[in-house]
Amino acid sequence: MTDHVRDLASVQDATERLLTAAAKLDNAAVTEPSRLPGWSRGHVLAHLARNADALVNVLEGRPMYVSAKARDADIERDAPRPLAAQLADVRDSATRFQELRAVPADWSRTVELRNGVTDSASRVPFRRWAEVELHHVDLGIGYELEDLPAEFSEREIDFLADRFAGHPGVPPTRLTDGTRAWSTGRAPEADRGAGAARITVTGSPAGLLGWLAGRRDGSGLTVEGGPLPSLPPL
């Protein structure tokens, strides 16, 4: 069962790591490209702040964002700000998110995120943890997928493998780091008539996570049974 209290503590730790690292930047560095196409580091920081507020909305029963257009407009509005304003916003919004741990609530209730996606309230802190960790990597300031906490990497691989499970465009695929294994894509039974072989993808946790999360092209992975599957965008 998801431990939302423990995950909230992990979110706080990850946020402090990101803020400490980002504080070493300067205003010019904030305007430089991040690792996400079309986004500067300022866009990434602005998104992190607005995402924290959006998840507060979710947990308080409001729509996550007013609209997709408003979400994008808010990020564009906030992206050009100087470093000090960016860091203050990330920290203040993170504090608002953390304050929810003190509010009595049914963490087993179902909440609605973007695009009609629903989940248990107890899993929202882990979703926020993923935002902070992966976007820290996206800033391109020395924090790599290999630096992610082992617990986070394993759980995020599990989360993403489950997200693609049953997807008609992803063939039956087994993922393994040599110790653990995950399954994703169509069920093998669905391809029996076509005689399709199950694909096995082997790599390090960082390599598997990078491929699943769209942060790496999978060139460092070993693939057996067919070509590396093409994954749909997250």
Side-chain angles (χ1 to χ4, degrees):
M1 189 173 185
T2 303
D3 185 342
H4 69 277
V5 174
R6 189 164 181 266
D7 284 347
L8 281 167
S10 296
V11 171
Q12 190 166 20
D13 290 344
T15 301
E16 288 303 323
R17 283 195 300 274
L18 183 148
L19 288 168
T20 298
K24 299 175 184 177
L25 301 175
D26 56 26
N27 289 334
V30 172
T31 67
E32 293 172 352
S34 72
R35 290 174 170 173
L36 293 178
W39 271 18
S40 68
R41 292 190 178 106
H43 283 89
V44 174
L45 293 170
H47 165 63
L48 279 168
R50 301 287 70 76
N51 173 262
D53 286 337
L55 291 177
V56 170
N57 288 339
V58 166
L59 290 172
E60 292 185 341
R62 297 185 294 274
M64 187 169 181
Y65 296 102
V66 174
S67 66
K69 184 176 180 180
R71 169 190 176 273
D72 294 344
D74 286 347
I75 293 171
E76 289 295 333
R77 177 198 66 208
D78 295 341
R81 297 174 300 178
L83 178 64
Q86 297 279 13
L87 297 183
D89 195 13
V90 172
R91 185 177 294 281
D92 291 346
S93 58
T95 298
R96 289 191 289 272
F97 182 74
Q98 287 291 331
E99 286 173 348
L100 291 175
R101 75 166 78 192
V103 179
D106 175 14
W107 285 89
S108 67
R109 72 193 187 279
T110 298
V111 295
E112 184 172 343
L113 295 102
R114 295 180 67 196
N115 304 319
V117 173
T118 59
D119 204 350
S120 167
S122 64
R123 284 175 40 107
V124 171
F126 179 75
R127 287 176 175 271
R128 176 59 182 176
W129 189 10
E131 291 284 331
V132 177
E133 293 286 12
L134 292 178
H135 286 315
H136 191 169
V137 174
D138 293 334
L139 286 172
I141 55 176
Y143 191 68
E144 305 296 339
L145 293 169
E146 286 78 8
D147 299 317
L148 296 171
E151 178 195 352
F152 170 77
S153 294
E154 181 176 353
R155 290 177 61 186
E156 183 67 358
I157 291 171
D158 186 70
F159 177 84
L160 293 173
D162 184 65
R163 182 166 182 166
F164 296 126
H167 195 288
V170 181
T173 304
R174 177 178 182 268
L175 312 172
T176 179
D177 62 0
T179 302
R180 295 153 296 190
W182 301 264
S183 294
T184 195
R186 297 188 301 271
E189 293 80 5
D191 283 358
R192 277 180 181 167
R198 187 174 186 177
I199 296 170
T200 297
V201 180
T202 304
S204 67
L208 292 171
L209 176 53
W211 172 61
L212 288 168
R215 265 65 178 185
R216 291 184 182 172
D217 62 9
S219 58
L221 303 173
T222 300
V223 187
E224 300 175 1
L228 184 69
S230 296
L231 299 177
L234 293 172

